[in-house]
Amino acid sequence: MSRVLVKTHCFLGDFICSEPALRAICKKHHNDEISVQSVVGDFLKWYPYTIRIASKPEPADIEYKLICDGNSNLVTKVAELNQLTISDLIPDLNIPIQTSHKEPYYVICAEASTKERHWSEDNWESLVDRLDAPVIQVGKWNKVQIKNADTSMLGKVLLPDELATLIFHAKSFITVDTGLSHFAASIKKPYIVLMDKVPISWRNHCGYTISIH
């Protein structure tokens, strides 16, 4: 039995996009001891493959690097770097979806890590006013607060299964280019991503994404 170490990118969105590569590693080394060095290990709690989350570097017989640069070809690049064959490009973290008893609602994430990915507050407020159900706003930075939206969850850290349940049962998930957009794809929730001046070719998710420029 070999010891396998997988080093991942620290950002949630890139990590989720590279998950098909992690899956290929787990299948290739199903008889080996696999450790994953990642700060988003909570999102791997329900992963269907046997792995161990490593909080710091450790020795290994075989090492893989899931280093992502945030463009549409990142999955292919990660696969080539690690000599992997990937057949399914849709990320899947196996996060469970709980039953929801909420009345119809929308979920919006209105901010990203960089300014060029943002949409104006006026546009968000105009959009919210046109929707036919209440809006729940999520996001960890708490820099944008949309009028007429429920901001009680804004700035809060939700557990991955809580977040998955909230987004999955929404009438629609609407966001900008942020990690939660890729998270929605990982739970197979079609979503809308609003683009403005995004300086990269964006990673679409084979039918789960509607991009509006």
Side-chain angles (χ1 to χ4, degrees):
M1 176 182 290
S2 297
R3 294 171 299 171
V4 178
L5 177 62
V6 182
K7 294 182 178 180
T8 72
H9 194 290
C10 63
F11 297 117
L12 177 62
D14 285 347
F15 169 73
I16 291 175
C17 286
S18 68
E19 184 281 327
L22 176 59
R23 199 184 323 157
I25 292 169
C26 291
K27 290 179 179 179
K28 184 176 181 178
H29 295 278
H30 62 278
N31 291 323
D32 296 325
E33 180 184 293
I34 302 173
S35 296
V36 179
Q37 183 186 341
S38 175
V39 297
V40 292
D42 287 349
F43 288 82
L44 287 169
K45 179 180 178 181
W46 300 272
Y47 207 52
Y49 301 95
T50 301
I51 60 174
R52 185 175 67 84
I53 304 301
S55 58
K56 57 183 180 180
E58 57 184 43
D61 301 325
I62 303 170
E63 182 178 291
Y64 293 92
K65 296 180 180 180
L66 307 190
I67 305 302
C68 308
D69 57 8
N71 64 52
S72 62
N73 298 315
L74 66 87
V75 180
T76 301
K77 288 184 177 181
V78 167
E80 291 176 350
L81 173 66
N82 295 281
Q83 297 180 329
L84 298 170
T85 300
I86 301 177
S87 57
D88 181 6
L89 297 179
I90 301 297
D92 185 5
L93 303 177
N94 200 43
I95 296 176
I97 307 297
Q98 308 299 329
T99 301
S100 175
H101 301 288
K102 290 180 177 292
E103 296 295 324
Y105 64 93
Y106 292 89
V107 175
I108 281 178
C109 181
E111 58 190 28
S113 57
T114 57
K115 290 183 179 180
E116 67 269 13
R117 304 179 187 209
H118 286 193
W119 219 39
S120 75
E121 291 188 38
D122 288 343
N123 284 341
W124 280 117
E125 291 169 8
S126 177
L127 173 62
V128 169
D129 289 340
R130 294 168 182 265
L131 296 177
D132 60 354
V135 170
I136 299 173
Q137 186 182 355
V138 297
K140 66 179 181 180
W141 290 289
N142 202 17
K143 295 179 181 178
V144 179
Q145 295 193 17
I146 305 173
K147 293 179 180 178
N148 299 326
D150 177 354
T151 59
S152 61
M153 294 188 182
L154 192 60
K156 292 186 177 180
V157 178
L158 299 176
L159 296 175
D161 55 333
E162 295 174 337
L163 185 61
T165 297
L166 181 69
I167 291 177
F168 186 83
H169 290 290
K171 294 189 69 173
S172 181
F173 177 51
I174 307 171
T175 184
V176 287
D177 178 20
T178 186
L180 291 187
S181 60
H182 304 297
F183 180 76
S186 76
I187 60 172
K188 298 179 174 56
K189 172 67 177 182
Y191 62 95
I192 298 171
V193 57
L194 303 168
M195 299 293 206
D196 188 7
K197 300 176 182 179
V198 179
I200 58 174
S201 56
W202 201 76
R203 169 78 171 97
N204 203 317
H205 287 294
C206 304
Y208 292 103
T209 312
I210 302 172
S211 301
I212 299 177
H213 294 265

